[in-house]
Amino acid sequence: VDGPEKAGLSWEQSYLPSFNLGGIFPPLATPFSPTQEVDYAQLEGNLRRYASIPFRGKHCPPSFSMQAPVRSLPATEAACRHTPHPFAPSPATQATIELTVSMAEAGADVALVVTPCYYRGAMTTAALIHHYTEVGDASPIPVVLYSVPANTGLDLPMEAVITLAQHPNIIGIKDSGGDITRMGLMVHKTRQEDFQVLAGSASFLLASYAVGASGGVCALANVLGDPLCQLDHLCRKGQWQEARDLQHRLIEPNMAVTRRFGIPGLKKAMEWFGYYGGPCRAPLAPLSPAQVEELRSTFSANGWL
Amino acid sequence: VDGPEKAGLSWEQSYLPSFNLGGIFPPLATPFSPTQEVDYAQLEGNLRRYASIPFRGKHCPPSFSMQAPVRSLPATEAACRHTPHPFAPSPATQATIELTVSMAEAGADVALVVTPCYYRGAMTTAALIHHYTEVGDASPIPVVLYSVPANTGLDLPMEAVITLAQHPNIIGIKDSGGDITRMGLMVHKTRQEDFQVLAGSASFLLASYAVGASGGVCALANVLGDPLCQLDHLCRKGQWQEARDLQHRLIEPNMAVTRRFGIPGLKKAMEWFGYYGGPCRAPLAPLSPAQVEELRSTFSANGWL
Amino acid sequence: VDGPEKAGLSWEQSYLPSFNLGGIFPPLATPFSPTQEVDYAQLEGNLRRYASIPFRGKHCPPSFSMQAPVRSLPATEAACRHTPHPFAPSPATQATIELTVSMAEAGADVALVVTPCYYRGAMTTAALIHHYTEVGDASPIPVVLYSVPANTGLDLPMEAVITLAQHPNIIGIKDSGGDITRMGLMVHKTRQEDFQVLAGSASFLLASYAVGASGGVCALANVLGDPLCQLDHLCRKGQWQEARDLQHRLIEPNMAVTRRFGIPGLKKAMEWFGYYGGPCRAPLAPLSPAQVEELRSTFSANGWL
Amino acid sequence: VDGPEKAGLSWEQSYLPSFNLGGIFPPLATPFSPTQEVDYAQLEGNLRRYASIPFRGKHCPPSFSMQAPVRSLPATEAACRHTPHPFAPSPATQATIELTVSMAEAGADVALVVTPCYYRGAMTTAALIHHYTEVGDASPIPVVLYSVPANTGLDLPMEAVITLAQHPNIIGIKDSGGDITRMGLMVHKTRQEDFQVLAGSASFLLASYAVGASGGVCALANVLGDPLCQLDHLCRKGQWQEARDLQHRLIEPNMAVTRRFGIPGLKKAMEWFGYYGGPCRAPLAPLSPAQVEELRSTFSANGWL
């Protein structure tokens, strides 16, 4: 027995239209208290503030699910009470499967599964196809592939994506690499499948829609959720000129809260827009005053502050 | 005295609207005879065949201008008799300036100047700004920057692009890196300047237009010139859905004649579409029969053969 | 209160000569049963077989300590009953500290602490110095830095190494990068400190000794422990010509059980030399028969089989 | 007819013992006048000053032979009047062959042939073997392979080195990559051939000798020729402890005149040791006063100034 049945899905479940990933998902930042404990009350507060934004769903932070799986469950439950959301487990195949089960029990609708990477030299196309096939077979919820070379040093090979797109319980990919040729080719080569491509960053969101992507999982959505949902809307309506102007103003702020200043930059910017940012856990270091100033000017120069 | 005047341009010349780069440019493949000599008659033949395609201009092959500058002039002249075109000189600043003069004398309208790269560790932002400023000051024809990290191992830094965009004799950039975030940011940060951004490859042409590019210099235009001009046309008219379908069918053929099989693949494919391809010079090796087959199936699977 | 006292060490403990790292350490492979459970009996068996080899110590496998810390303790204890050994914890600073405490309680003499890397873009020199200083301050056992760019995508910067070498509870570095210039410079720049440099691979062991390293933590020691201890001995005695001949014969086998075939190759080779290798956990895939053959011929061509 | 005979070599010439590369070669810096012309008188002056240093030979600067071949001949002749030396031509196979002929006529004893790299994606093992075989067949003087990934982005593959080592007119390799595992493996895999391995940098010279290299082509030899020849001497005599102390003091100065400050740093340092350094050609920029200070302190902190 293979496929969804092995995972305990009935025929109806497995052939229902897959979970619709069209739209914007914020990968929620994990709020910590001043003593660096996860602050569930602040997470609830942020979720309340996000409730008015037309997000398609939310994405549980990797620091919960991937790096400290057991302790992440309460926070995941808090997130789950509000909205469907994918998440990001990791390394060994069996541990990843167990995590999809835990997350499904906590109410997650979709599992966002990052490429295993510690032994990246051994992560051949065949090994990655095998890993995701096992996870897809066993996961009680649909699986979204997650390729993020800046963190993992590994691009999920195109050949693996094309093969895995045929799996009935693998419904899409979040690709954070920013290679727009690859985005277009993934859409093109999976056009016969029920498979959705998501941009993994706000910097190339419009371009991704232009080549056929369905949505985006964007760190910047923690800060500028409404403009990102508006960009999604403009692209869907074909208002490309307005979309372009909006996209242009989002690139620098996005780069500032990702590549340039990372999580500490993201949390600082969240505070300017009414969300709880709070401290980061070591080894992530807080921004210096000069960096805060640079971050702020990036938002103000593009008309956001 | 600085700027264009130093280069012998009158006030009128330097303040005329810059050369319009909007559209598609093929970087012409250099035809060799069976004895590996440049075959000017075959070049003329190809140019005649290209005459019916609405290219914006043509781009003299780097193998002429950059790697064997002196011998390239006759071929450049042949190309110049037919159409405006940029070209690609190289390494030391003074030698690059001399080459812009030679090329202008041969009839080139624009100089496409690749980043110097042999001592890439020393190619700081400041050094690159200085290099291009000197070239821009002295070149009798407008200069287009050329960043091609796959060949040079060097991305022209964003800060250098923004500074150089203000130079009156630097009118644009050909960027072959494929980083669409960077393309969009270049358009955005130079929006106050008379500066045009060109995609350096057909793989990300539509996405580049979507974020504000003016055109493309695409190897694939040697083979599929008409479809690329049609893609340019669809993007300009806002017919994004048709454009997307066309773009999708061009990605694999383009990758096959660039990254996958390089110049030998390009020349082989040219022959299938009525152009002269001919042999490559060593150390470039001809394709094996299996590679030819793979190349061909890439074109046929996408409906071009 | 800072430094070792914070970690509960008395003055005497902290100023005793540091743990001597001179010699060869195998990073123990984790034995799995056919059902992919950790097989402690087989681990004990391997440890018994290693008992006759003059290793300086043993290094608990990263798959225990870093990727599944809690379940690793029994195996760690098994290892600890036999010999002193460092180990490899990971990501957030506080979790790493907790792991050093657990490992010390399980009997480890030294903590081998890999660079945090998931947010590698944020891992500046300052952030890494802060991380290791916190860990060094709090760890009840001496800390050895561990830089392994092939797995983490991150080189611990030289400036961080030089600063951290001054910490009284940081006694050395395992460097797996293979940059011999860096190895020599680390020895040279820390010559005033009580700081020991270990080669992280058998491929460059002799060269590391030649520039002043103290020993090596080498995957190949799981297979060819005696020849590696002999190489250590020859280098210490200044018999460089014999050492060179031996080193030459170890390079290809080492590359085969690391870069080329990874853990699956290592475990297969262990079986040929009388150890328990056993299966790997997915997503690591077993070798194909052709790969086994290639692996075997690498050992036989160099006179080991 | 293949091999040396094709190149006009008699049987005796081709079967004589090959040119002995054992020892230190400076890759001569090209002296420019204040107006950036090649200054042959200063070159002669430097060569006179180097005459008392027991170099094995000299290596004509790449800026002569590779980047401006025709104009380089007089300087090459100047160099040739003093000492045997290899040199570095480049890109297309036929042009490289012509350059070996010119250089042989100018008196060069050995041709140092860098890997072609502009179309590096096409530079497969097979293409590189073909290129060097053609050059080896046709060159009137012995050929030394030259792999310098920092400049070319390309490592000459081990398999190509092993194959080419069997060619009777290819006598060695200069490897500047700094991968000591590779250096050792090259020595080991070519031990049956008349093939010599040279370190391409002073930073890993001792380690290279330790694994079996014959000598080094080291930029730093332009500045500290005597200490480098002394290091060569100590290694040959087996005085490894003295060699290590000397090697340690050379790493930082070497990094300063290569990776850190490049040619401008090298030329500045030459002046402190009694040689003519002079200006660099754009786009290489002169050092700032702060950089000069940093460079100087690198030499003084290691006891050279």
Side-chain angles (χ1 to χ4, degrees):
Chain A
V1 179
D2 241 25
E5 289 176 45
K6 184 174 164 191
L9 298 185
S10 68
W11 186 90
E12 290 82 358
Q13 283 175 298
S14 66
Y15 288 86
L16 281 177
S18 72
F19 190 87
N20 176 4
L21 299 170
I24 303 297
F25 296 77
L28 296 174
T30 313
F32 296 119
S33 69
T35 56
Q36 303 207 336
E37 299 300 304
V38 175
D39 190 329
Y40 299 113
Q42 294 291 5
L43 178 63
E44 295 266 1
N46 281 347
L47 287 168
R48 267 195 307 277
R49 286 170 210 114
Y50 291 139
S52 65
I53 303 177
F55 288 137
R56 181 65 197 87
K58 291 178 194 74
H59 161 4
C60 233
S63 47
F64 291 10
S65 51
M66 188 166 41
Q67 299 185 354
V70 177
R71 279 166 294 183
S72 76
L73 288 177
T76 302
E77 281 166 15
C80 290
R81 281 198 293 278
H82 293 279
T83 177
H85 64 282
F87 70 99
S90 176
T93 306
Q94 191 51 41
T96 301
I97 288 170
E98 287 162 19
L99 204 46
T100 64
V101 173
S102 303
M103 288 295 173
E105 285 167 1
D109 297 287
V110 174
L112 181 66
V113 181
V114 75
T115 50
C117 65
Y118 191 75
Y119 294 112
R120 85 180 49 136
M123 292 300 98
T124 58
T125 298
L128 289 162
I129 289 175
H130 187 258
H131 172 75
Y132 277 114
T133 300
E134 295 276 306
V135 175
D137 285 352
S139 171
I141 47 178
V143 166
V144 174
L145 312 171
Y146 180 18
S147 182
V148 54
N151 287 3
T152 63
L154 187 79
D155 246 335
L156 186 59
M158 179 63 63
E159 190 187 333
V161 175
I162 293 167
T163 300
L164 293 167
Q166 299 166 31
H167 191 288
N169 203 32
I170 296 178
I171 65 166
I173 185 169
K174 170 188 176 186
D175 194 316
S176 297
D179 180 344
I180 201 69
T181 300
R182 180 176 148 93
M183 300 292 280
L185 190 54
M186 285 192 300
V187 172
H188 181 50
K189 299 292 281 185
T190 64
R191 66 194 182 278
Q192 315 284 0
E193 313 299 334
D194 184 13
F195 190 78
Q196 303 162 78
V197 175
L198 301 179
S201 165
S203 284
F204 50 89
L205 190 58
L206 176 147
S208 297
Y209 282 115
V211 298
S214 300
V217 184
C218 308
L220 188 64
N222 283 285
V223 182
L224 295 176
D226 267 321
L228 280 168
C229 288
Q230 191 189 350
L231 178 52
D232 169 78
H233 180 78
L234 291 169
C235 291
R236 286 176 196 286
K237 304 273 282 188
Q239 296 175 259
W240 293 98
Q241 183 56 53
E242 293 92 327
R244 179 189 305 168
D245 293 344
L246 182 51
Q247 170 70 81
H248 281 175
R249 294 169 55 215
L250 294 168
I251 296 175
E252 288 179 295
N254 182 61
M255 290 172 80
V257 301
T258 55
R259 274 190 243 173
R260 180 80 183 88
F261 296 120
I263 310 285
L266 180 69
K267 290 191 168 180
K268 177 55 73 183
M270 285 173 71
E271 294 181 352
W272 297 331
F273 290 85
Y275 304 103
Y276 178 81
C280 291
R281 274 181 170 165
L284 292 176
L287 303 189
S288 69
Q291 290 176 317
V292 171
E293 191 48 47
E294 184 185 334
L295 176 66
R296 192 168 180 96
S297 75
T298 299
F299 277 86
S300 58
N302 284 281
W304 300 114
L305 280 177
Chain B
V1 179
D2 240 26
E5 289 177 44
K6 185 173 163 193
L9 297 184
S10 68
W11 185 90
E12 288 83 357
Q13 283 175 300
S14 65
Y15 288 86
L16 280 177
S18 72
F19 191 87
N20 176 4
L21 299 171
I24 302 298
F25 297 75
L28 296 174
T30 314
F32 296 118
S33 69
T35 56
Q36 303 206 336
E37 300 299 304
V38 175
D39 190 328
Y40 300 112
Q42 294 291 6
L43 179 63
E44 297 264 1
N46 281 347
L47 287 168
R48 266 194 310 276
R49 287 170 209 114
Y50 291 139
S52 66
I53 303 176
F55 288 137
R56 180 67 196 87
K58 293 181 193 73
H59 160 8
C60 234
S63 49
F64 289 12
S65 52
M66 187 166 43
Q67 299 185 356
V70 176
R71 280 165 294 181
S72 76
L73 289 177
T76 302
E77 280 166 17
C80 289
R81 280 196 295 277
H82 292 278
T83 177
H85 64 282
F87 70 98
S90 176
T93 306
Q94 191 53 40
T96 301
I97 288 171
E98 286 162 19
L99 203 46
T100 65
V101 172
S102 303
M103 288 297 173
E105 285 167 0
D109 296 289
V110 174
L112 181 66
V113 181
V114 76
T115 50
C117 65
Y118 192 75
Y119 294 112
R120 84 180 50 135
M123 293 300 98
T124 59
T125 298
L128 289 161
I129 288 175
H130 186 256
H131 172 75
Y132 277 114
T133 300
E134 295 275 307
V135 174
D137 285 352
S139 170
I141 48 178
V143 165
V144 174
L145 312 171
Y146 180 18
S147 182
V148 54
N151 287 3
T152 62
L154 187 80
D155 244 336
L156 186 59
M158 179 62 63
E159 189 187 333
V161 176
I162 294 168
T163 300
L164 293 167
Q166 299 167 29
H167 190 290
N169 203 32
I170 296 178
I171 66 166
I173 185 169
K174 171 187 176 186
D175 195 315
S176 298
D179 180 345
I180 200 69
T181 301
R182 180 176 149 93
M183 300 292 280
L185 190 54
M186 285 192 300
V187 171
H188 181 51
K189 300 291 283 186
T190 63
R191 65 194 182 278
Q192 314 286 359
E193 312 299 333
D194 185 12
F195 190 78
Q196 301 161 81
V197 174
L198 301 179
S201 167
S203 284
F204 49 89
L205 190 59
L206 176 147
S208 297
Y209 282 114
V211 299
S214 301
V217 184
C218 308
L220 188 64
N222 283 285
V223 182
L224 295 175
D226 267 320
L228 280 168
C229 289
Q230 192 190 349
L231 178 51
D232 168 78
H233 180 77
L234 291 169
C235 291
R236 288 177 194 285
K237 303 271 284 186
Q239 296 175 260
W240 294 97
Q241 184 56 54
E242 293 92 326
R244 179 187 306 167
D245 294 343
L246 182 50
Q247 170 70 81
H248 281 175
R249 295 168 55 215
L250 293 167
I251 296 176
E252 287 180 295
N254 182 60
M255 289 171 81
V257 299
T258 55
R259 274 190 240 173
R260 181 80 183 89
F261 295 121
I263 308 285
L266 178 70
K267 290 190 168 181
K268 177 54 72 181
M270 286 173 70
E271 294 180 353
W272 298 331
F273 290 85
Y275 305 103
Y276 178 82
C280 292
R281 275 181 170 165
L284 292 176
L287 302 190
S288 70
Q291 290 175 317
V292 170
E293 192 47 47
E294 184 185 335
L295 175 67
R296 193 169 179 97
S297 74
T298 299
F299 278 86
S300 58
N302 285 281
W304 301 113
L305 278 178
Chain C
V1 179
D2 239 27
E5 289 176 45
K6 186 174 164 191
L9 297 186
S10 68
W11 185 90
E12 289 81 357
Q13 283 175 299
S14 65
Y15 288 86
L16 281 177
S18 71
F19 190 88
N20 176 4
L21 299 170
I24 303 297
F25 296 77
L28 297 173
T30 313
F32 296 119
S33 69
T35 56
Q36 303 206 336
E37 300 299 304
V38 176
D39 191 329
Y40 299 113
Q42 295 290 5
L43 179 62
E44 295 266 1
N46 282 346
L47 287 168
R48 265 194 309 276
R49 286 170 211 115
Y50 291 139
S52 65
I53 303 176
F55 288 137
R56 179 67 196 87
K58 292 179 193 73
H59 159 7
C60 232
S63 48
F64 290 9
S65 53
M66 187 165 44
Q67 298 185 359
V70 177
R71 277 167 295 183
S72 74
L73 289 177
T76 302
E77 281 166 15
C80 290
R81 279 197 295 275
H82 293 279
T83 178
H85 64 283
F87 71 98
S90 175
T93 306
Q94 190 52 41
T96 301
I97 288 171
E98 287 161 19
L99 204 45
T100 64
V101 173
S102 304
M103 288 296 173
E105 286 167 0
D109 297 287
V110 173
L112 180 66
V113 181
V114 75
T115 51
C117 65
Y118 191 75
Y119 294 112
R120 83 180 52 133
M123 292 302 96
T124 58
T125 297
L128 289 162
I129 289 175
H130 187 257
H131 172 75
Y132 277 112
T133 300
E134 295 275 307
V135 175
D137 285 352
S139 171
I141 47 179
V143 166
V144 173
L145 312 172
Y146 181 17
S147 183
V148 54
N151 287 3
T152 63
L154 187 79
D155 245 334
L156 186 59
M158 179 61 65
E159 189 188 334
V161 176
I162 294 168
T163 300
L164 292 166
Q166 300 166 30
H167 191 290
N169 203 31
I170 296 178
I171 65 166
I173 185 168
K174 171 188 175 186
D175 194 315
S176 298
D179 180 345
I180 200 69
T181 301
R182 179 176 150 93
M183 301 291 280
L185 191 54
M186 285 192 300
V187 171
H188 180 51
K189 300 291 281 186
T190 63
R191 66 192 182 279
Q192 315 284 359
E193 313 298 333
D194 184 13
F195 190 79
Q196 301 162 80
V197 174
L198 301 179
S201 166
S203 284
F204 49 88
L205 190 59
L206 175 148
S208 297
Y209 281 114
V211 299
S214 302
V217 184
C218 308
L220 187 64
N222 283 285
V223 182
L224 295 176
D226 268 321
L228 281 168
C229 289
Q230 190 189 352
L231 178 52
D232 168 78
H233 179 77
L234 291 170
C235 291
R236 287 177 195 285
K237 304 272 282 187
Q239 297 174 259
W240 293 99
Q241 183 55 51
E242 295 90 327
R244 180 188 303 167
D245 293 343
L246 181 51
Q247 171 70 82
H248 281 175
R249 295 168 56 214
L250 294 168
I251 297 176
E252 287 179 296
N254 183 60
M255 291 172 79
V257 300
T258 55
R259 276 190 240 173
R260 181 79 184 90
F261 295 121
I263 308 286
L266 179 69
K267 290 191 168 179
K268 178 54 73 183
M270 285 173 70
E271 295 181 352
W272 297 331
F273 290 85
Y275 305 103
Y276 178 82
C280 292
R281 275 182 169 164
L284 292 177
L287 302 190
S288 71
Q291 290 176 316
V292 171
E293 192 47 47
E294 185 186 334
L295 175 67
R296 192 168 180 95
S297 73
T298 299
F299 278 85
S300 58
N302 284 281
W304 301 112
L305 281 176
Chain D
V1 180
D2 241 26
E5 289 176 44
K6 185 174 163 192
L9 299 184
S10 68
W11 186 90
E12 289 82 357
Q13 281 175 299
S14 64
Y15 288 86
L16 281 176
S18 73
F19 190 87
N20 176 5
L21 299 170
I24 303 297
F25 296 77
L28 297 173
T30 314
F32 295 118
S33 69
T35 56
Q36 304 205 337
E37 300 299 305
V38 175
D39 191 329
Y40 299 112
Q42 294 290 4
L43 179 62
E44 297 262 3
N46 282 345
L47 287 169
R48 266 195 309 276
R49 286 171 210 114
Y50 291 138
S52 65
I53 303 176
F55 289 137
R56 180 67 197 88
K58 292 180 193 73
H59 160 5
C60 232
S63 48
F64 290 10
S65 52
M66 187 168 42
Q67 299 185 357
V70 176
R71 278 167 296 183
S72 75
L73 289 177
T76 302
E77 281 166 15
C80 290
R81 277 197 296 274
H82 292 279
T83 177
H85 64 282
F87 70 99
S90 177
T93 305
Q94 191 52 41
T96 301
I97 289 170
E98 287 161 19
L99 204 46
T100 63
V101 173
S102 302
M103 289 297 174
E105 286 167 359
D109 297 288
V110 173
L112 180 67
V113 181
V114 75
T115 52
C117 66
Y118 192 75
Y119 294 112
R120 83 179 52 134
M123 292 301 96
T124 59
T125 297
L128 289 162
I129 288 174
H130 187 257
H131 172 75
Y132 278 113
T133 300
E134 295 276 305
V135 175
D137 285 352
S139 171
I141 47 179
V143 165
V144 173
L145 312 172
Y146 180 17
S147 183
V148 55
N151 286 5
T152 62
L154 187 79
D155 245 334
L156 186 59
M158 180 61 64
E159 190 188 332
V161 176
I162 294 167
T163 301
L164 293 166
Q166 300 166 30
H167 191 289
N169 204 32
I170 296 179
I171 65 166
I173 185 169
K174 170 188 176 185
D175 194 315
S176 299
D179 180 345
I180 200 69
T181 301
R182 180 176 149 93
M183 300 292 281
L185 190 54
M186 285 192 300
V187 172
H188 182 50
K189 300 291 282 185
T190 64
R191 64 194 182 278
Q192 314 285 0
E193 312 299 333
D194 184 12
F195 190 77
Q196 302 163 78
V197 174
L198 301 179
S201 166
S203 284
F204 49 90
L205 189 58
L206 175 148
S208 297
Y209 282 114
V211 298
S214 302
V217 184
C218 308
L220 187 64
N222 283 284
V223 182
L224 296 175
D226 268 320
L228 281 168
C229 288
Q230 190 189 350
L231 179 51
D232 168 78
H233 180 78
L234 291 169
C235 292
R236 286 177 196 285
K237 304 272 283 188
Q239 297 175 258
W240 292 98
Q241 183 55 53
E242 293 91 327
R244 180 187 305 166
D245 293 344
L246 181 51
Q247 171 70 81
H248 280 175
R249 294 168 56 214
L250 293 168
I251 297 177
E252 287 180 295
N254 183 60
M255 290 172 80
V257 301
T258 55
R259 276 190 239 172
R260 179 81 184 90
F261 296 120
I263 309 286
L266 179 68
K267 291 190 167 180
K268 175 57 71 183
M270 286 173 71
E271 295 181 353
W272 298 331
F273 290 85
Y275 305 102
Y276 179 82
C280 291
R281 274 181 171 164
L284 292 176
L287 302 190
S288 70
Q291 291 176 316
V292 170
E293 192 48 47
E294 184 185 335
L295 176 66
R296 193 169 179 96
S297 73
T298 298
F299 277 87
S300 57
N302 284 281
W304 301 113
L305 280 178

